[in-house]
Amino acid sequence: SDSLRLHNLCLCLAVAALCLMVASATAEKKLSKHAATLADNSANLAFNLYQNMAKEKNLENILISPVVVASSLGLVALGGKSSTASQVKEVLSASKVQDEHLHAGLAELLTEVSNSTARNVTWKISNRLYGPSSVTFADDFVKNSKKHYKVEHSKINFRDKRSAINSINEWASKSTDGKLPEITKDMEKTDGAMIFNAMFFKTHWDEKFHHKMVDNRGFMVSRSFTVSVPMMHRTGLYKFHEDTENKLFVLEMPLAHKMSSMVFIMPYHLEPLERLEKLLTRKQVDAWLSKLEEKAVAVSLPKVSLEVSHNLQKHLGQLGLTEAVDKNKADLSNISGKKDLYLSNVFHASALEWDIEGNPFDASIFGTEKLQNPKLFYADHPFIFMVKDNKTKSILFIGRLVRPKGDKMRDEL
């Protein structure tokens, strides 16, 4: 009987050990040190790039994915030599990071945040590097850029510009299931290496909106211009902060699995976003986020599909990437084995959708004291938004909605 007891004990221990193994395998896999550093750096890049773009006249909606921009910069570092490559690291505030850690870290970060199954969001990312038809891509570069940045490579002949641009737009449309029909109508510099990001991101709320709570309302683009948009409404418990000094609201709405969330920053009333954008630093955003408190909030949000395409070449140049974008100075000889390329375009295009879809909501709190006297968050005028990742602390998207799609409403007296 002793041997039976011993046998059972061993069996229990074996089962316990197995359970531990399974538990540790399914436990959160932490980001490596380098990926965490790059996640942090890409969040700083987000604000610098946004600030730089916000200065541009006649630009309405802005939509950039800092982690995808960072990985495009990684691609430039991979193709670059000497100061052309080290400049990229400066823009990423990663001068001290060794090359192999830079590429592995950026690859790990991107793989982590774009894992749609774990995060229950739809996020398709396609990257392509186009070179002029005269270029020969070096095997090593092709292999490593596929490995780290999942980049496709293509030669393109711009002698027939119209058909070249059409084929780029067709690629973008196909890789986003038609959500991004057009990246660009025209291109000035067609004689260099060109990076294209084409993305489709669709949120899945942690608590969905009720399908019947959608109606058409006016969204005020400016004092004299209002468009009609479908507006969705729901009251729930959300993290909320009212900054009375700066006259603005901050609202955080978790996305499914709560691994990421959308943050909205909106002035009290219709105004140009310039004042708000002057406040928009990483430090200030962190301060707002630290003041969020769970409250009952009645949220009204436009049901939006945004398609935005930016050529970031100039903006990255202004942030310090001066060599790669300069025909006379660029050394991108890792791409082709000779100094025959510069970075002539970086097209960064995304389609972003948020609508009513999400997980079922907890109906038990309706009619309770918890939802009494809700704060109002009525988004009928321009605001800034972010999709922030809670695990990696990176920013998946940052942007502003100034003009949603919709018909101009006639002015009512």
Side-chain angles (χ1 to χ4, degrees):
S1 69
D2 277 354
S3 65
L4 188 66
R5 239 183 265 137
L6 191 65
H7 175 74
N8 287 347
L9 182 67
C10 290
L11 203 62
C12 289
L13 284 171
V15 170
L18 193 66
C19 290
L20 269 173
M21 274 162 66
V22 171
S24 65
T26 51
E28 277 295 282
K29 197 166 123 277
K30 267 194 132 82
L31 275 189
S32 71
K33 192 179 93 206
H34 306 294
T37 302
L38 290 158
D40 194 54
N41 297 359
S42 71
N44 290 326
L45 174 70
F47 293 102
N48 295 342
L49 188 53
Y50 181 97
Q51 291 287 8
N52 189 287
M53 294 171 75
K55 293 186 187 111
E56 198 173 301
K57 295 272 174 279
N58 308 324
L59 184 63
E60 293 180 325
N61 302 329
I62 289 179
L63 183 57
I64 43 178
S65 170
V67 287
V68 174
V69 173
S71 74
S72 292
L73 285 168
L75 181 67
V76 178
L78 193 64
K81 276 193 179 154
S82 58
S83 51
T84 301
S86 54
Q87 236 184 20
V88 180
K89 287 173 141 182
E90 277 164 36
V91 175
L92 283 169
S93 326
S95 299
K96 294 190 174 71
V97 180
Q98 289 175 348
D99 285 3
E100 68 264 32
H101 293 153
L102 177 80
H103 302 306
L106 285 170
E108 184 189 338
L109 175 63
L110 199 58
T111 305
E112 168 60 49
V113 296
S114 58
N115 178 343
S116 310
T117 353
R119 289 157 184 277
N120 202 1
V121 293
T122 304
W123 196 10
K124 289 187 156 69
I125 306 169
S126 300
N127 300 310
R128 200 168 222 186
L129 177 77
Y130 283 99
S133 36
S134 57
V135 79
T136 310
F137 293 114
D139 294 344
D140 251 7
F141 174 76
V142 170
K143 191 180 83 200
N144 289 324
S145 54
K146 271 188 180 151
K147 178 177 139 189
H148 296 301
Y149 302 114
K150 301 185 175 64
V151 174
E152 305 165 25
H153 304 76
S154 219
K155 293 190 206 190
I156 193 157
N157 186 344
F158 271 97
R159 266 200 296 261
D160 181 353
K161 197 171 176 184
R162 194 71 261 130
S163 85
I165 287 173
N166 283 345
S167 84
I168 290 168
N169 287 332
E170 268 168 36
W171 163 78
S173 177
K174 205 170 139 190
S175 54
T176 56
D177 297 339
K179 298 289 182 181
L180 203 62
E182 185 176 78
I183 282 189
T184 182
K185 285 182 168 62
D186 194 18
M187 236 179 275
E188 284 166 26
K189 305 179 209 151
T190 57
D191 57 344
M194 299 182 256
I195 296 174
F196 286 86
N197 313 128
M199 290 167 275
F200 171 54
F201 186 93
K202 185 174 183 176
T203 61
H204 190 89
W205 302 110
D206 187 54
E207 293 196 335
K208 65 182 176 187
F209 285 76
H210 197 289
H211 62 97
K212 288 193 173 142
M213 302 276 283
V214 180
D215 54 8
N216 279 338
R217 303 272 176 113
F219 184 99
M220 298 176 285
V221 176
S222 65
R223 293 205 180 281
S224 57
F225 189 72
T226 299
V227 293
S228 166
V229 297
M231 192 77 86
M232 44 193 204
H233 315 275
R234 84 172 303 266
T235 301
L237 294 173
Y238 290 112
K239 287 182 177 172
F240 182 82
H241 171 62
E242 178 176 350
D243 180 340
T244 47
E245 189 191 334
N246 290 308
K247 300 186 171 51
L248 58 90
F249 301 112
V250 183
L251 170 71
E252 180 173 354
M253 295 178 72
L255 300 178
H257 297 354
K258 296 191 177 171
M259 287 173 83
S260 51
S261 50
M262 275 198 89
V263 176
F264 298 94
I265 305 166
M266 181 175 76
Y268 284 176
H269 308 292
L270 168 68
E271 59 170 284
L273 287 175
E274 235 163 308
R275 178 184 72 87
L276 203 56
E277 287 168 338
K278 286 203 173 81
L279 299 169
L280 197 73
T281 59
R282 172 121 189 233
K283 198 174 161 195
Q284 179 60 69
V285 169
D286 285 343
W288 283 326
L289 295 175
S290 71
K291 290 177 182 160
L292 291 172
E293 285 175 26
E294 193 170 83
K295 294 194 163 103
V297 189
V299 178
S300 294
L301 272 184
K303 185 169 170 277
V304 162
S305 64
L306 271 178
E307 289 102 48
V308 187
S309 179
H310 301 291
N311 188 354
L312 299 181
Q313 193 242 22
K314 180 184 80 187
H315 300 292
L316 292 170
Q318 286 159 346
L319 292 183
L321 194 75
T322 53
E323 277 199 17
V325 300
D326 183 329
K327 213 174 180 165
N328 302 313
K329 291 186 183 153
D331 182 354
L332 295 174
S333 52
N334 281 341
I335 296 182
S336 64
K338 44 183 195 273
K339 262 176 92 168
D340 55 353
L341 283 175
Y342 77 112
L343 187 63
S344 60
N345 291 283
V346 181
F347 276 96
H348 185 77
S350 340
L352 174 78
E353 281 181 18
W354 65 76
D355 63 13
I356 58 174
E357 287 166 40
N359 296 338
F361 45 79
D362 171 13
S364 69
I365 59 169
F366 292 113
T368 65
E369 275 180 15
K370 279 185 170 173
L371 291 188
Q372 271 177 1
N373 310 324
K375 300 280 180 191
L376 293 185
F377 187 89
Y378 191 78
D380 69 342
H381 54 280
F383 55 82
I384 291 169
F385 62 86
M386 289 185 316
V387 180
K388 73 177 185 72
D389 187 59
N390 299 326
K391 181 178 168 184
T392 62
K393 305 286 181 277
S394 56
I395 294 171
L396 308 187
F397 279 96
I398 184 169
R400 67 180 182 201
L401 181 67
V402 171
R403 185 174 176 172
K405 280 183 287 207
D407 296 329
K408 183 180 192 303
M409 290 174 83
R410 60 173 194 279
D411 302 322
E412 292 177 12
L413 294 172

